[in-house]
Amino acid sequence: MAKILIVVGTVNGHAFSAAQGAAALLNKLGHTAEINAETTAKDLLRDSDEIILVCCSTDQGKVPYNIFPLYRQLEDQRLNLHGRHYGVIALGDSYFPPAQFALGGISIENALYSCGAKRIGEMGLLDAQSVDNYPLAAALWAKNWAEKI
């Protein structure tokens, strides 16, 4: 079973509740999932076997404030994440222009990829226009994602 670090970028708590739903399901499946809403570069580098799961909302087309320092570290320092695996659940609202939809999660995904990490499966996209229950939606996505680990 895998060790999974769930990195959360949240604006109003939806990404955190989605992370809780994903963590609960992953733990139930026998994995060890830990949620961290204040992740640093040091956290990403601590265990090369740990899988990173990003659960990130979008703040008016930008990376949320609480995860922005990590995003800058990924972008500026180009951390060596070769051999690391990750997944992404990106939250957005299709009410806003398409160029802004889920951009927080997409930006973190691009930064992880640029640092050499490899994504497992497809990105989970949760649209506020169609998702009523973020923990459930994230858990359903995580169930399918876990089969690819």
Side-chain angles (χ1 to χ4, degrees):
M1 293 284 109
K3 291 187 293 183
I4 302 164
L5 171 63
I6 303 179
V7 177
V8 179
T10 191
V11 177
N12 57 17
H14 292 308
F16 190 79
S17 66
Q20 289 175 314
L25 186 280
L26 291 166
N27 286 323
K28 185 175 182 178
L29 292 175
H31 300 288
T32 303
E34 171 195 334
I35 298 173
N36 187 336
E38 296 181 12
T39 307
T40 65
K42 184 178 178 180
D43 296 320
L44 296 185
L45 297 171
R46 71 181 178 200
D47 183 350
S48 61
D49 292 328
E50 191 173 52
I51 297 170
I52 302 163
L53 175 57
V54 176
C55 192
C56 188
S57 59
T58 302
D59 187 6
Q60 298 179 1
K62 299 177 185 164
V63 174
Y65 178 77
N66 76 300
I67 200 171
F68 188 77
L70 176 64
Y71 171 69
R72 290 303 329 154
Q73 288 176 315
L74 290 167
E75 286 284 300
D76 296 343
Q77 297 174 17
R78 293 285 186 222
L79 304 176
N80 182 1
L81 298 177
H82 288 85
R84 296 295 301 275
H85 292 90
Y86 70 92
V88 177
I89 300 173
L91 286 73
D93 190 334
S94 61
Y95 170 81
F96 293 100
Q100 292 181 1
F101 178 71
L103 196 58
I106 292 168
S107 296
I108 298 291
E109 198 271 339
N110 288 337
L112 288 168
Y113 178 81
S114 294
C115 291
K118 294 184 180 176
R119 190 177 74 209
I120 297 170
E122 295 299 317
M123 183 183 300
L125 294 170
L126 305 184
D127 184 352
Q129 296 298 313
S130 59
V131 173
D132 293 324
N133 185 327
Y134 287 97
L136 177 61
L140 292 172
W141 178 88
K143 182 176 186 252
N144 291 326
W145 181 73
E147 293 172 0
K148 296 170 179 64
I149 294 176

